[in-house]
Amino acid sequence: MTMQNTPLLMSRILGRGARLDPLVEVVTLQAKGSHRQTLEQTWQRANQLAHALADHGIRIGDRVASFMWTNFRHLELYQGVPSMGAVLHTLNIRLSPNDLEYIINHAGDRVLFIDEDLLPLLEPLKDKIDCVELIVVCRHGEGGESSFDNQIDYEDFIAGKPVEYDWPEIDETAPMGLCYTSGTTGKPKGVMYTNRSTYLHTLTESLTDSIGLSSLDSLLGIVPMFHAMGWGLPFAASMLGTKQVMPHRFMVPDAFLKLMVEEEVTISAGVPTIWQGVRAALTAAPDKYDLSKLTRLTCGGSAPPVEMMRWYWDNYQIEMIQGWGMTETNPLGTLSRKVSKRSQVGLSEDEQFKNIAKAGLAMPGLEIEIFDEEWNPLPHDGKAVGELCIRGPWIASEYYNDPQPDKFHDGWLVTGDVAMIDPAEYVIISDRSKDMIKSGGEWISSVDLENHIVGMPDIAQAAVVAQPHPKWDERPVALVIMGEGNELDKDAVMNHCSEKFARWQLPDDIIMVEAIPLTSTGKIDKKAIRADLDAKGYKLPDLA
């Protein structure tokens, strides 16, 4: 007997929730109240959207970009674009115009969807993104104008289109999503997700031993939908029939808590800085919010403090689930829960929190290993430290139109993280790639900052390193050697950096030094710089 060889296509699962439980709501916070529509309406509008794009000339494999907050129309794109065989390219709204211009042109985006309040961020790109034939503006009743000629209102774009689309039969390895990640050097790199990879990722994310997302849940996705496809949660929720609650542009703790209470949220997802902010709001008004329905918070992007995870459990019986992953891993790689194995059922609470402090266990279907400099696998003894590598059916094997052989080795993705693996198979991240700074869950390239600063005629050499920050996890600090006879003008350096980098990417401090330590190969020794700053008791300036 042989089994059916049915291709793993997103179109087969994205409408499942709408068919099984059509009246479940998708709720989006707006300036005046909340916008509500059912899963059935969302799926029908996704079908209409596919017809509108096809009528415009979008074909299988074409890239369709979104420059949007987390809201109901973005979800319609998530459902309709991959199902029709096109590729949804989620643009990070926090990037500088420089990076956006490169990414849009490199991807060859033909249609771009944008929320009206974000239109001013696109203005600097006028006449620089010729590949974009049409801009579809998503109105939320708040105004916002654009000087682009080729634009249409979203509702006008899909109006009158059929609510059923005959989804094409395509190869399961056909692309469906595109996200760009900042590299340690050079331009951002594109990670192209396939139908097969995202299908398998969606199933795994819904496992009980994963985050256990269920049709019974009410999900508040705070992680932006432009971050590694919203950690895959919109896909899983659409498949299961989960209630989806979306904050739109209202990214503040009071808005999150209001939604949690009013929409009976059971699970939410965000980076550690989000949960620190929510904790502060709860501490300030402990009796204001009824969080009795909320059972778990998924935390990724960087390691959350164990003390904070324990606070949520002790005060609200809310479990924080720590996850590790990358854009290149679709993004779920490992997860850590208080109790992850049957053998841990009898653990004390202290022992449970020792587990949750680790990056976690590899998801089913993935292999994780640590290697030394000669690519020999290292023992899983919790002591050996090596280069963390990962492989599996939803792990990138190359970058989109951009060979980067040093990022892939013999079938493994080289993550750039340095880690240990303990005898219980928990991954423990011990350090990050030396050239990257992770601030509030966002990557900042220290090398790109250095190269730009050195472009100033008064500066002879520059090094940018991460420094710990209580809220943002890490912030960049620049060390500069001035050219002979020149004095440091911090404002001039900041203004120079502002020409290329977004505000959140700028260094928090600029320090003039006589020398910058180098390694034996002539590279900047950032480990030595960080150690020196630590030995001197350096503290970041308070920029509040």
Side-chain angles (χ1 to χ4, degrees):
M1 179 175 135
T2 57
M3 308 304 290
Q4 294 182 10
N5 189 23
T6 305
L8 306 182
L9 302 179
M10 294 305 291
S11 59
R12 300 192 194 283
I13 58 175
L14 287 177
R16 178 181 179 273
R19 288 192 301 273
L20 296 189
D21 213 353
L23 299 184
V24 168
E25 285 187 315
V26 174
V27 182
T28 302
L29 190 60
Q30 304 276 259
K32 297 177 182 178
S34 293
H35 176 278
R36 296 175 183 274
Q37 64 186 42
T38 65
L39 290 181
E40 181 178 50
Q41 289 169 326
T42 302
W43 182 241
Q44 288 174 344
R45 285 167 58 85
N47 280 251
Q48 289 182 297
L49 173 66
H51 276 289
L53 287 168
D55 291 347
H56 177 75
I58 295 298
R59 297 292 177 256
I60 291 169
D62 285 345
R63 271 76 65 205
V64 174
S66 63
F67 196 69
M68 300 170 68
W69 299 104
T70 298
N71 54 50
F72 66 97
R73 291 195 186 98
H74 211 164
L75 181 61
E76 292 161 16
L77 283 166
Y78 262 69
Q79 294 181 354
V81 174
S83 294
M84 71 181 293
V87 179
L88 178 60
H89 175 202
T90 53
L91 291 163
N92 187 333
I93 65 176
R94 298 185 68 198
L95 291 179
S96 67
N98 237 43
D99 282 342
L100 285 171
E101 179 187 344
Y102 171 78
I103 289 170
I104 291 169
N105 285 312
H106 186 264
D109 297 322
R110 292 186 57 195
V111 179
L112 190 153
F113 290 76
I114 182 169
D115 280 324
E116 59 183 350
D117 62 301
L118 300 175
L119 284 166
L121 299 181
L122 210 63
E123 281 299 306
L125 304 188
K126 186 169 166 57
D127 303 324
K128 294 181 179 179
I129 48 174
D130 292 340
C131 58
V132 177
E133 306 158 8
L134 182 67
I135 291 174
V136 184
V137 181
C138 302
R139 299 283 178 189
H140 299 273
E142 299 181 51
E145 298 303 323
S146 156
S147 63
F148 284 86
D149 299 324
N150 51 339
Q151 57 183 307
I152 186 172
D153 179 84
Y154 183 100
E155 297 303 322
D156 293 338
F157 187 56
I158 69 169
K161 303 297 183 185
V163 296
E164 290 187 10
Y165 190 99
D166 185 15
W167 306 122
E169 286 291 317
I170 56 178
D171 193 282
E172 64 178 25
T173 59
M176 53 69 61
L178 178 61
C179 292
Y180 278 74
T181 181
S182 299
T184 54
T185 56
K187 297 292 188 182
K189 297 182 285 292
V191 180
M192 187 73 88
Y193 305 141
T194 67
N195 276 265
R196 181 177 187 270
S197 71
T198 306
Y199 190 110
L200 293 171
H201 182 274
T202 302
L203 295 180
T204 302
E205 191 166 60
S206 304
L207 289 173
T208 309
D209 281 355
S210 177
I211 66 170
L213 190 67
S214 159
S215 60
L216 306 183
D217 277 314
S218 173
L219 165 69
L220 173 60
I222 298 173
V223 54
M225 290 172 83
F226 54 74
H227 266 193
M229 309 306 286
W231 295 353
L233 291 167
F235 297 130
S238 295
M239 175 185 76
L240 295 169
T242 304
K243 178 178 180 178
Q244 299 189 56
V245 183
M246 303 179 165
H248 188 45
R249 65 175 178 83
F250 302 98
M251 297 290 287
V252 291
D254 284 345
F256 304 147
L257 287 162
K258 170 185 165 69
L259 288 169
M260 286 173 177
V261 174
E262 292 180 357
E263 307 305 331
E264 299 186 337
V265 168
T266 58
I267 179 171
S268 188
V271 297
T273 52
I274 292 291
W275 303 129
Q276 288 171 347
V278 169
R279 174 184 173 176
L282 289 170
T283 303
D287 300 321
K288 186 176 178 181
Y289 303 102
D290 176 10
L291 299 184
S292 57
K293 301 288 185 183
L294 187 62
T295 61
R296 56 214 191 279
L297 301 176
T298 304
C299 194
S302 55
V306 176
E307 182 270 336
M308 180 179 72
M309 294 192 279
R310 186 135 200 178
W311 182 88
Y312 274 101
W313 182 256
D314 289 344
N315 288 278
Y316 292 93
Q317 292 288 288
I318 295 170
E319 179 188 7
M320 293 202 76
I321 305 169
Q322 182 180 174
W324 169 87
M326 313 164 63
T327 304
E328 292 91 334
T329 65
N330 227 68
L332 184 54
T334 68
L335 280 178
S336 194
R337 303 194 66 160
K338 291 170 79 263
V339 177
S340 296
K341 307 177 185 180
R342 179 160 182 80
S343 59
Q344 296 172 347
V345 169
L347 291 182
S348 69
E349 208 156 84
D350 286 343
E351 290 170 321
Q352 291 177 16
F353 279 98
K354 284 181 182 176
N355 279 341
I356 210 169
K358 303 170 186 176
L361 302 169
M363 289 293 95
L366 300 183
E367 299 171 70
I368 289 189
E369 192 54 88
I370 48 174
F371 294 94
D372 65 17
E373 292 180 357
E374 279 75 47
W375 296 107
N376 299 308
L378 294 167
H380 296 186
D381 57 8
K383 298 174 184 176
V385 177
E387 180 82 51
L388 184 66
C389 295
I390 186 169
R391 65 185 178 188
W394 61 83
I395 309 300
S397 61
E398 61 183 3
Y399 289 110
Y400 177 61
N401 288 346
D402 187 12
Q404 298 273 336
D406 59 321
K407 287 287 290 182
F408 305 95
H409 176 80
D410 196 24
W412 294 91
L413 169 71
V414 182
T415 68
D417 280 327
V418 178
M420 299 174 285
I421 301 177
D422 70 12
E425 294 300 317
Y426 279 89
V427 175
I428 304 157
I429 307 289
S430 55
D431 199 2
R432 278 191 283 279
S433 176
K434 302 297 184 291
D435 293 335
M436 294 301 290
I437 298 162
K438 208 162 199 181
S439 181
E442 297 268 11
W443 286 112
I444 299 172
S445 171
S446 61
V447 171
D448 284 351
L449 270 172
E450 288 162 3
N451 293 341
H452 193 66
I453 292 169
V454 170
M456 296 184 71
D458 297 344
I459 294 177
Q461 196 176 348
V464 175
V465 296
Q467 285 293 285
H469 189 280
K471 180 178 180 182
W472 302 114
D473 194 38
E474 291 179 344
R475 292 297 300 152
V477 169
L479 284 69
V480 297
I481 300 174
M482 302 304 298
E484 193 170 343
N486 293 310
E487 292 293 323
L488 172 62
D489 182 344
K490 290 188 180 183
D491 289 340
V493 176
M494 294 295 279
N495 289 336
H496 177 69
C497 290
S498 298
E499 295 170 6
K500 180 177 179 183
F501 296 95
R503 185 177 175 185
W504 60 272
Q505 295 173 310
L506 302 179
D508 274 17
D509 199 9
I510 302 160
I511 305 168
M512 187 169 74
V513 294
E514 294 296 319
I516 290 174
L518 303 176
T519 66
S520 58
T521 56
K523 296 179 180 179
I524 295 171
D525 191 343
K526 298 193 177 182
K527 185 176 180 180
I529 293 172
R530 290 194 294 267
D532 183 57
L533 289 172
D534 187 54
K536 291 175 178 175
Y538 173 80
K539 300 292 183 188
L540 284 167
D542 185 0
L543 301 179

